[in-house]
Amino acid sequence: MKRYVAVLGRQPLISVAELESLFENVRAIYALGNKGKGSTRGEKLPVLAEFSSKDIPNIHRLGGTLKIAEKVLEPLPVFLKNLPERGKITVGVSDFSRGSSAFLAQKEALKIKRMLAKDGRSVRVVPNKTAILSSATSLHNHLFSDTKIEILKNGPDYYKVVQLQDIESYVQRDRKRPARDAKVGMLPPKLAQILINLCGDLPEGTRLLDPFCGTGVVLQEATLIGYVPYGTDLSERMVEYSKRNLEWLKDKEGSNKRSNEQNIVKITTFLEKAECEVGDAQNFQWQMPVGAVACETYLGPPMSQAPVDIKLKQAKQECKGIIIGFLKNLAKQIDPEMPVVIAVPAWLRDNGRYERLNILDEIDDLRYNVVRFKNLRQKDLLYYRDGQVVAREIIVLRKK
């Protein structure tokens, strides 16, 4: 088992839940004394999470992780002395230590430069505008190789970045798909990955069902992770959009020079087995077996401002009826212990807090167990952007 650290994204608590679902010994690290974006109550949020893995983690399947770094086990001077002898070294430092600043991070980088210079190495230091280098800066400087390195510091601990999130790939999969519809909401690919990963580390080739598939974002991300996508939707138009987008994905991956031939063959195989059907999630009979369910459920009508009480009451009743009806129908068809991960709506109120659907008691009556996480509570699983009126509460279930 190797020990790694993840630099968490904009929704750090959900990112920790994602890591807990896939890896062992996850520990959230509350550094910098931060309150962080995404906090409505001003509480501290984690910015890092340590975890253990026997295999090299794949950041390209982790929607909530910006960087992955490997712990430096030997003293820092020894680690630096063992860097490859060839070529110039580029060094950047992100300092997560309490009380850190751009000045202290740059000071640490210059200290590393002096250590390397003593061994006759030529070194370039990436300047710090803040204590933590942005992902864009790290990508621009290619700080994830043997001679272009980013060191993460947290107190006395050091880590070397080994993987960075591919920002451009997410942009492509979000904005370049041929069939999009802003009126029905745009599920971010990163969130789709998180929903899927909260199902756990499923065997490759598992058939994953999205009963509210919309334009097929969950289906697309499931395919790239290594699962066979199966989607249904009440709208025939949405089903056609999903089919078009999956066909686009097949063409895109087939022409992707960065994908190896083996991956292209796998993705093509999964897409050839894909199914998209028109069906109402409250009464549809799905093709079984499936190995997991991940979806964004019905979120109610689009809203541009916090709803008045009567409008919110109507939206909650409508959403609750559809979601409970779906879960009741699903429970009759799936096997015990099957993971079911759903995103349900929560609404922004005038006080800046989100009002939730509050359906956990009713879900319990439908023969599901709610999964609990070590590092966080159910109320922490709220996904939203600043000022977003309709947020998503994530609920992770297992069939009883």
Side-chain angles (χ1 to χ4, degrees):
M1 283 281 187
K2 280 191 174 182
R3 198 70 176 154
Y4 297 91
V5 70
V7 178
L8 306 177
R10 289 175 59 86
Q11 306 275 191
L13 293 169
I14 293 174
S15 304
V16 171
E18 180 183 33
L19 292 171
E20 279 194 35
S21 300
L22 297 174
F23 302 106
E24 298 181 28
N25 306 315
V26 177
R27 180 176 72 94
I29 300 174
Y30 295 78
L32 294 174
N34 72 313
K35 293 183 178 180
K37 290 184 177 180
S39 170
T40 58
R41 298 175 296 278
E43 77 274 30
K44 286 168 57 180
L45 295 175
V47 293
L48 301 172
E50 280 194 350
F51 63 95
S52 299
S53 177
K54 64 179 184 296
D55 300 316
I56 299 173
N58 178 13
I59 196 170
H60 302 302
R61 73 169 288 179
L62 296 173
T65 295
L66 302 177
K67 303 175 186 180
I68 292 177
E70 202 171 308
K71 194 162 190 176
V72 176
L73 299 177
E74 63 266 50
L76 186 62
V78 176
F79 166 78
L80 295 172
K81 192 176 285 290
N82 290 332
L83 290 175
E85 295 181 3
R86 65 187 188 280
K88 186 174 185 176
I89 299 287
T90 300
V91 175
V93 169
S94 290
D95 193 348
F96 292 87
S97 307
R98 294 185 185 278
S100 185
S101 63
F103 171 77
L104 291 176
Q106 193 75 94
K107 185 177 179 181
E108 185 72 28
L110 293 172
K111 182 181 82 173
I112 291 172
K113 179 179 180 178
R114 286 194 297 272
M115 290 180 186
L116 288 166
K118 283 183 180 179
D119 293 327
R121 303 302 302 270
S122 175
V123 184
R124 181 179 79 87
V125 169
V126 176
N128 283 83
K129 295 182 180 178
T130 58
I132 299 166
L133 297 177
S134 69
S135 295
T137 297
S138 301
L139 281 168
H140 176 73
N141 289 279
H142 304 285
L143 299 181
F144 50 94
S145 68
D146 290 335
T147 56
K148 296 182 178 181
I149 62 173
E150 179 177 358
I151 298 295
L152 309 185
K153 183 178 186 295
N154 183 40
D157 297 324
Y158 292 91
Y159 306 81
K160 178 184 179 294
V161 171
V162 292
Q163 295 183 41
L164 291 170
Q165 192 177 77
D166 188 348
I167 301 169
E168 181 56 32
S169 178
Y170 284 105
V171 172
Q172 288 281 327
R173 301 203 304 269
D174 187 23
R175 300 179 186 175
K176 301 298 182 181
R177 300 183 307 144
R180 303 170 80 244
D181 190 340
K183 292 181 181 179
V184 297
M186 307 296 284
L187 179 66
K190 289 184 181 182
L191 177 55
Q193 280 187 327
I194 291 170
L195 295 177
I196 296 163
N197 287 329
L198 289 173
C199 291
D201 193 11
L202 308 171
E204 186 176 275
T206 294
R207 197 156 177 251
L208 185 136
L209 169 65
D210 179 354
F212 299 82
C213 67
T215 62
V217 181
V218 168
L219 305 182
Q220 151 190 300
E221 297 305 318
T223 305
L224 294 173
I225 288 173
Y227 305 142
V228 175
Y230 175 29
T232 61
D233 198 283
L234 182 62
S235 166
E236 184 174 350
R237 181 166 65 96
M238 290 295 101
V239 170
E240 288 304 312
Y241 277 17
S242 285
K243 290 178 179 178
R244 283 174 57 192
N245 287 329
L246 289 179
E247 191 62 35
W248 168 83
L249 180 66
K250 183 163 65 174
D251 294 340
K252 174 182 175 295
E253 289 304 306
S255 61
N256 188 349
K257 295 179 181 179
R258 289 182 293 180
S259 290
N260 62 50
E261 188 173 343
Q262 186 179 11
N263 283 341
I264 292 172
V265 170
K266 283 182 180 180
I267 290 171
T268 301
T269 301
F270 297 147
L271 288 172
E272 287 174 350
K273 296 178 180 178
E275 293 279 352
C276 292
E277 302 179 283
V278 177
D280 186 339
Q282 297 181 80
N283 53 43
F284 191 73
Q285 293 295 307
W286 290 284
Q287 300 176 32
M288 292 295 163
V290 298
V293 179
C295 63
E296 176 183 81
T297 64
Y298 179 59
L299 300 182
M303 296 183 183
S304 58
Q305 59 186 11
V308 296
D309 289 347
I310 185 64
K311 188 175 181 180
L312 176 59
K313 183 178 180 181
Q314 292 170 347
K316 289 181 73 171
Q317 287 177 339
E318 182 183 16
C319 291
K320 184 177 288 190
I322 291 172
I323 294 165
I324 294 299
F326 149 62
L327 289 172
K328 188 181 297 185
N329 180 38
L330 181 69
K332 296 181 290 187
Q333 301 184 49
I334 60 175
D335 296 330
E337 295 303 314
M338 182 176 294
V340 178
V341 179
I342 60 175
V344 303
W347 293 269
L348 184 65
R349 308 302 284 139
D350 290 334
N351 62 6
R353 297 173 180 266
Y354 282 93
E355 185 168 332
R356 304 182 184 230
L357 206 51
N358 297 324
I359 58 174
L360 293 184
D361 290 340
E362 290 160 88
I363 287 175
D364 184 64
D365 293 338
L366 297 177
R367 295 178 292 168
Y368 295 95
N369 289 317
V370 179
V371 173
R372 305 298 179 185
F373 294 90
K374 182 181 72 174
N375 287 278
L376 60 151
R377 306 150 296 179
Q378 175 58 42
K379 67 179 183 178
D380 295 323
L381 294 175
L382 193 66
Y383 185 98
Y384 62 96
R385 298 185 302 273
D386 291 342
Q388 186 173 4
V389 177
V390 182
R392 299 154 169 111
E393 179 184 4
I394 300 172
I395 303 175
V396 183
L397 306 169
R398 292 291 185 276
K399 171 73 184 302
K400 289 181 181 178

